[in-house]
Amino acid sequence: MTVRIVTLPGDGVGPEVTNQALAVLLTAAEEGGLDIAVEEFRIGGRAVDETGTPLPQETLDACRNADAVLLGAVGGPQWDHLVGDQRCESGLLQLRAGLGVFANLRPVRVHPNLADRTALRQEVVSGVDLVVVRELTGGAYFGRPKERTDQRAVDTTVYTRPEIERVARVAFRLAAGRRGRLTSVDKANVLATGQLWRATVSELAAEFPGVALEHALVDSFAMRLMQRPGDIDVVVTENLFGDILSDEAAVLAGSLGLLPSASLGSTRAGLYEPIHGSAPEIAGMDRANPYGAILSAALMLRHSLDRPDLAAAVEAAVDDCIATSVLTADLGGAAGTAEVGAAVVAAVRGRVSATAGAAS
Ligand code: NAD
Ligand code: IPM
Ligand code: MN
């Protein structure tokens, strides 16, 4: 059986990091006997320039028919004058909604070789291993009415009980398979949506007796994330808070360029993207850190392609490369994007054949 992958390189550093992630994915697949067919489509600024819309219908159709989608990043200063549905970012939002991927998993781990390279003290970040589960298709991003005139603008945060339940279930299940701790983050002291969020998550807790649930308010949680991140296992939160907290959490790992994500819905298919943006100021310079994109491909192998063995091999290969200081400039290294990708490709070859050898 051949699995169908769609790649959406997008804008800025998107194509550079997607290229490396794809090379690693294809290597893992080849070594592991997984047949992959890849097709590339347009999204974001490139799609606006060439087709007049940030999410062409053919792109959405192809993604809907794929087993998994690998995305780079969208947006950039040359498209910032666009408004509403014409914006590059809107194309990405339409894609997430169109695929129904409501749960966005953003794992954060601190590699021992990077613990002294972050902005925080080593003892604070050492051993951090947490996952932010961000609700991805609701909240202020999608709520109506949305208005914008010269004098007035309106965004509306809407959440329904079923929307909260389905993402919270993903988070409870994830926590049950990890250290059994779930922190639900909201603004229940002010927002009506926060109150519904808290009540709904609390009610679900009875279904997951093995998980210890705690609630936290987003403002103080943002501080706790920097002060005592080691205590945190799984976090579940609404779309906007999850966006902000996950970039903040990237400080723990050492660079925004390191963090991957998996966006999942009710089927096996998923959307995989690094959490960073198009980083326009370093685009085209072979300077972007591709580890976040590569680790997103690993998440794809685990969550959509049913190959946890290959996912683990890619993750171990990344760990090996970081351990030997194959690092881009954001982490104080001198390696280029392509050089990092090539190092991971080589490490994956070694890893997968070693595993296959051990198994036979
Ligand atoms: P950004 O994530 O692009 O960059 C933030 C900072 O991190 C910059 O200093 C950048 O150089 C650095 N950085 C990001 N990715 C990196 C990488 N892989 N390697 C090394 N350094 C990296 O955020 P921004 O500057 O606020 O936004 C730029 C554009 O990207 C905007 O148009 C924004 O809307 C878009 N964006 C897109 C996505 C996405 O497609 N998923 C995500 C976030 C932002
Ligand atoms: C992300 C990005 C997107 C978001 C933007 C580009 C729409 O910041 O993936 O984190 O806010 O979700
Ligand atoms: Mn973001």
Side-chain angles (χ1 to χ4, degrees), residues 106 134 243 247 275:
R106 298 186 158 192
R134 170 188 178 193
D243 179 45
D247 272 33
I275 81 158

Side-chain angles (χ1 to χ4, degrees), residues 17 71 73-76 80 89 92 96 256-257 273-282 287-289 330:
V17 298
L71 181 133
V74 298
D80 266 344
E89 292 82 358
L92 178 53
R96 291 168 177 171
L256 191 53
E273 46 174 319
I275 81 158
H276 64 75
S278 60
E281 70 280 10
I282 56 166
R287 290 187 55 161
N289 184 337
D330 51 310

Side-chain angles (χ1 to χ4, degrees), residues 232-243:
I232 302 165
D233 183 11
V234 178
V235 178
V236 63
T237 192
E238 66 143 271
N239 202 341
L240 183 59
F241 299 160
D243 179 45

Side-chain angles (χ1 to χ4, degrees), residues 19 80 121 125 129 172 184 197 226 239 245 276 280 333:
N19 268 340
D80 266 344
R121 285 201 313 278
V125 300
D129 179 357
F172 271 111
S184 176
W197 185 279
M226 295 293 103
N239 202 341
L245 292 174
H276 64 75

Side-chain angles (χ1 to χ4, degrees), residues 56-82:
Q57 188 63 42
E58 62 158 12
T59 298
L60 179 58
D61 290 343
C63 293
R64 280 191 169 131
N65 289 320
D67 294 298
V69 179
L70 182 65
L71 181 133
V74 298
Q78 64 270 53
W79 300 288
D80 266 344
H81 61 280
L82 298 170

Side-chain angles (χ1 to χ4, degrees), residues 58-298:
E58 62 158 12
T59 298
L60 179 58
D61 290 343
C63 293
R64 280 191 169 131
N65 289 320
D67 294 298
V69 179
L70 182 65
L71 181 133
V74 298
Q78 64 270 53
W79 300 288
D80 266 344
H81 61 280
L82 298 170
V83 294
D85 285 353
Q86 286 304 109
R87 287 193 62 81
C88 302
E89 292 82 358
S90 169
L92 178 53
L93 300 185
Q94 292 164 40
L95 176 66
R96 291 168 177 171
L99 296 176
V101 287
F102 57 82
N104 181 222
L105 276 46
R106 298 186 158 192
V108 183
R109 284 188 311 139
V110 177
H111 191 286
N113 195 34
L114 298 179
D116 62 348
R117 294 192 189 225
T118 77
L120 299 170
R121 285 201 313 278
Q122 188 160 353
E123 64 266 29
V124 174
V125 300
S126 277
V128 163
D129 179 357
L130 62 90
V131 183
V132 177
V133 179
R134 170 188 178 193
E135 200 291 324
L136 201 62
T137 52
Y141 280 66
F142 294 93
R144 293 291 181 268
K146 199 177 256 303
E147 280 171 38
R148 169 73 206 270
T149 69
D150 249 13
Q151 297 298 320
R152 209 176 102 90
V154 178
D155 293 295
T156 308
T157 302
V158 184
Y159 271 110
T160 65
R161 186 174 280 268
E163 280 177 317
I164 300 166
E165 277 177 358
R166 65 185 183 176
V167 69
R169 279 210 164 81
V170 171
F172 271 111
R173 269 189 235 117
L174 187 66
R178 290 172 45 98
R179 303 200 301 279
R181 303 175 64 164
L182 178 61
T183 308
S184 176
V185 175
D186 60 39
K187 187 72 185 171
N189 54 343
V190 175
L191 301 178
T193 44
Q195 289 150 18
L196 182 66
W197 185 279
R198 191 170 284 217
T200 306
V201 175
S202 292
E203 279 164 33
L204 271 186
E207 289 178 29
F208 300 90
V211 176
L213 170 69
E214 60 164 350
H215 299 281
L217 295 170
V218 63
D219 46 358
S220 63
F221 181 77
M223 181 183 68
R224 195 176 128 198
L225 189 55
M226 295 293 103
Q227 277 185 327
R228 285 177 289 120
D231 298 347
I232 302 165
D233 183 11
V234 178
V235 178
V236 63
T237 192
E238 66 143 271
N239 202 341
L240 183 59
F241 299 160
D243 179 45
I244 298 165
L245 292 174
S246 54
D247 272 33
E248 188 194 5
V251 173
L252 303 168
S255 170
L256 191 53
L258 287 169
L259 297 205
S261 84
S263 303
L264 306 171
S266 51
T267 68
R268 258 208 115 68
L271 170 65
Y272 298 84
E273 46 174 319
I275 81 158
H276 64 75
S278 60
E281 70 280 10
I282 56 166
M285 298 168 71
D286 194 40
R287 290 187 55 161
N289 184 337
Y291 283 129
I294 292 169
L295 291 169
S296 300

